[in-house]
Amino acid sequence: MKHTISVLVDNKPGVLARISGLFSARGFNITSLAVGETNDPTVSRMTIIVSAEDRILEQVQKQLHKLIDVISVSDLTKRDYFERELVLIKVNMARTTKQKLTKLLDKFSATILSSSKQGAVVEVVGDNKEISKVVKLLEAVGIKELVRTGRIAITS
Amino acid sequence: MKRTGAQILVDSLLREGVRVIFGYPGGSVLPLQDVLYDTPMDVILVRHEQGASHAADGYARATGKVGVCMATSGPGATNLVTGLATAHMDSIPMVAITGQVKTHLIGNDAFQEADVTGITRPVTKHNYLVKDISELACIVKEAFHIASTGRPGPVVIDVPVDIQMQTIEAEFPEKVCMRSYKPTITGHPGQIKRAAKMISQSKRPIIYAGGGIIIADAHEELLELAVKINAPVTTTLMGLGGFPEDNDLSLGMLGMHGTVYANNATMESDLIIAVGARFDDRVTGKLDSFAPNAKIIHIDIDPTSLSKNVRVHVPIVGDAKNILTALNKVVKKPETKKWHAQINEWKKKYPLTYKTKGKKISPQYVVEQIYKVTKGDAIICTEVGQNQMWAAQYFNYTKPRTYISSGGLGTMGYGLPAAIGAKLGRPDKMVFDIAGDGSIQMNIQELATAVANKINVKIAILNNGYLGMVRQWQELFYKRRYSMTPISGPDFVKLAKAYGAEGMRIKKKEDVKKAIKEAMAIPNTVIMDFIVEEEANVFPMVPAGEAINRMIGGMA
């Protein structure tokens, strides 16, 4: 099962290596990872998405908590929370126009940042489902390049 | 007053009460060495950095204080790694100081550079790379706090050589303040109540005590609990000495080479009270069939130990001494008469035995004689393998911090340097290293350290010409194909003398006792080279992957 884990850590060098080490030492692949400062610059928030059995994940959570630089760990999966990701997509414009593209993205929280014959850059914000839908739609048009921030999450 | 980084380091160590530092010099710790030249601390020059880390570990295990070692950058630091991993697995408080190349050279593949914080991250409780001299005093304070509190462990402080030379107006913090590190000490009162209720309702309780008893200094509280509820006690290898083995309630050690009665009692119990132990695979054997009818109360300071391997019914996080004290106040004695009758039957039927007939010296006999001659008043360090198991089985440990052995990592070559550290920590005690002819060769260079510093340890080599534990597995599970296990060694008597120690060779059973007495009387380090039966086995034994009551060998 996929879990969204939110970890508050001291904003220090080496912390990311300690945390990723916990996962890699157990052979887990991190699906998504986003790190950034909080409103307190001495504290960073990591949002980690990982697939694991509940029992193993409970152990990983405890291990995370045991790290000296970790302030708190919470598994958001069982709680009410918002999850968002920002994706930048460079779209092939050979077979479409800006107008068509705008219409295509109408229902989504998407912005066309630039557009030329070479290609358009589209910014999309949404949860995992919405992002997947947009990516699928644009794949039909032709995706040249795609960059994702990794998912971030907050409880409601 | 302005101080250099090296002075701040040493002053910080003194403020933490450090009396001994084990180390090896090098280009990146020269400023530190220079300050140590005038310090009141004992500075013990080892002959290999691995020896420094094991000696600091042995010192910590014998005294309960934080062991300190140091090494230079690069190879010096990487040589500490096995010692750090050993201490990490067994929760031993240690601080290791490593030199690092100059700050501006870090990451440049400089001479003797290694990414020490990177390398040691998985084998330490925490580590630091000091990038700013103003943080140094605070980091040392934190390092000692982290190493010695909660579930203890080794902490590395990597100090670039330029930081050691810079100067600053030093301020030494009195306290540490860490928002993210606050180990739980006091057990949850509700959980303690639940545990007490469960104990009073049990019919076949057993206490399973580990190294946590020794770390938490909870051996008296453990004895009180055992007597109060009249429950048998089995200890892990790390827990030896945590409960007096001459007490009627003692079942000795459990697990792969535990006693039959300890394993049977564990399997048949209806309640396991685990204290400071972690249900390691060498203890549980086949997990699916471990203690099928038992409820489990698990007391441990490390939440990650709880429900890691077995499902626990009443987990209690906290310090063992604290929790046992609280538990002892509320617990009531269950009815266990039948249970004790059953256990006594097992004890009678399956005592620990070994071959006593035959001309050759049995290795178990040597350990037994060391116990008899010392009357149990000694610190026994061990190497790893058969020697370690026989030392566990045939010496009756009655006091904590008397059996010093690499339990979790199983590090061969641990015993001699650990014995040196233990002797420095407890100069009043007779300190033995019970060794094999294989493992003693792994850190034999530390004989020079012992002799040069007049650290008087007694090394008993159970010399069978084999890497015996692996040979035993080959005998039992690989059709006696002794690949890579016959091992030769030097003439240990001559070798001892070459190092300035004393050496004796014992070939006859009737000379064993006399030799031990003689060795103890010599005011020098002594190697006793006991030529023992070549193919003696450690029995009883749980074959790998079996349930722990499916033991083989050694049953009368």
Side-chain angles (χ1 to χ4, degrees), chain A residues 10 14 17-18 40 42-43 55 59 62-63 66 68-71, chain B residues 121 125-127 146 151 178-181 302-304 306-308:
Chain A
D10 280 331
R18 282 182 214 283
D40 175 352
T42 66
V43 177
R55 210 179 73 87
Q59 177 65 13
K62 286 186 195 167
Q63 295 280 358
K66 196 168 150 182
I68 308 291
D69 296 324
V70 169
I71 301 164
Chain B
R121 194 175 297 125
K125 186 170 173 187
H126 197 53
N127 62 19
I146 291 170
R151 179 176 179 174
M178 301 170 68
R179 64 180 155 195
S180 52
Y181 176 71
D302 180 1
T304 68
L306 303 170
S307 290
K308 182 173 69 175

Side-chain angles (χ1 to χ4, degrees), chain B residues 127-415:
Chain B
N127 62 19
Y128 296 90
L129 169 62
V130 183
K131 296 287 284 282
D132 185 340
I133 186 174
S134 68
E135 294 172 349
L136 185 55
C138 203
I139 284 176
V140 178
K141 184 91 198 161
E142 264 184 33
F144 276 81
H145 177 68
I146 291 170
S148 60
T149 53
R151 179 176 179 174
V155 178
V156 168
I157 311 174
D158 198 26
V159 193
V161 66
D162 54 324
I163 302 272
Q164 294 172 42
M165 290 187 283
Q166 285 168 18
T167 56
I168 193 175
E169 204 67 51
E171 274 176 54
F172 294 94
E174 289 298 325
K175 275 188 184 167
V176 285
C177 181
M178 301 170 68
R179 64 180 155 195
S180 52
Y181 176 71
K182 288 187 186 78
T184 309
I185 304 298
T186 316
H188 190 280
Q191 292 292 80
I192 292 172
K193 240 187 228 166
R194 281 181 66 199
K197 194 175 166 198
M198 219 177 231
I199 290 170
S200 67
Q201 289 169 349
S202 69
K203 293 187 173 72
R204 301 185 305 279
I206 184 169
I207 299 173
Y208 150 56
I213 290 293
I214 291 162
I215 295 167
D217 192 26
H219 54 283
E220 283 170 8
E221 290 76 8
L222 177 68
L223 180 62
E224 191 188 329
L225 174 70
V227 171
K228 212 161 189 176
I229 66 171
N230 194 29
V233 180
T234 180
T235 69
T236 66
L237 185 81
M238 292 301 298
L240 288 177
F243 189 80
E245 292 191 307
D246 54 3
N247 188 299
D248 281 346
L249 291 171
S250 170
L251 302 179
M253 185 171 78
L254 83 165
M256 184 173 272
H257 292 296
T259 60
V260 175
Y261 38 94
N263 284 359
N264 281 356
T266 306
M267 290 294 282
E268 301 284 316
S269 66
D270 68 349
L271 177 67
I272 296 176
I273 307 158
V275 194
R278 59 188 175 94
F279 294 91
D280 165 75
D281 54 276
R282 285 294 190 265
V283 158
T284 61
K286 191 179 176 189
L287 259 183
D288 307 340
S289 40
F290 177 73
N293 302 313
K295 291 224 160 86
I296 297 175
I297 297 167
H298 194 178
I299 300 168
D300 205 289
I301 199 155
D302 180 1
T304 68
S305 287
L306 303 170
S307 290
K308 182 173 69 175
N309 299 329
V310 297
R311 208 169 75 84
V312 171
H313 302 83
V314 182
I316 314 178
V317 178
D319 174 75
K321 193 182 181 87
N322 198 299
I323 292 169
L324 289 182
T325 306
L327 187 59
N328 282 338
K329 279 185 193 147
V330 290
V331 81
K332 286 197 182 75
K333 190 171 167 176
E335 176 49 53
T336 54
K337 211 182 238 172
K338 265 192 199 163
W339 179 227
H340 281 288
Q342 168 71 74
I343 287 170
N344 285 334
E345 199 184 308
W346 285 325
K347 274 187 171 177
K348 250 184 226 154
K349 204 166 169 190
Y350 308 112
L352 266 182
T353 54
Y354 63 91
K355 201 175 113 191
T356 45
K357 285 174 195 159
K359 271 192 173 171
K360 288 177 177 165
I361 303 174
S362 296
Q364 298 93 328
Y365 177 76
V366 176
V367 176
E368 221 170 47
Q369 290 308 307
I370 292 174
Y371 174 67
K372 284 190 176 151
V373 173
T374 59
K375 299 189 178 72
D377 185 21
I379 293 176
I380 305 296
C381 301
T382 80
E383 303 289 339
V384 164
Q386 289 184 318
N387 61 81
Q388 176 187 34
M389 291 301 134
W390 286 321
Q393 291 176 328
Y394 290 96
F395 194 102
N396 272 336
Y397 298 93
T398 56
K399 291 195 178 68
R401 307 196 179 281
T402 53
Y403 178 77
I404 293 179
S405 188
S406 168
L409 197 67
T411 309
M412 287 174 70
Y414 170 81

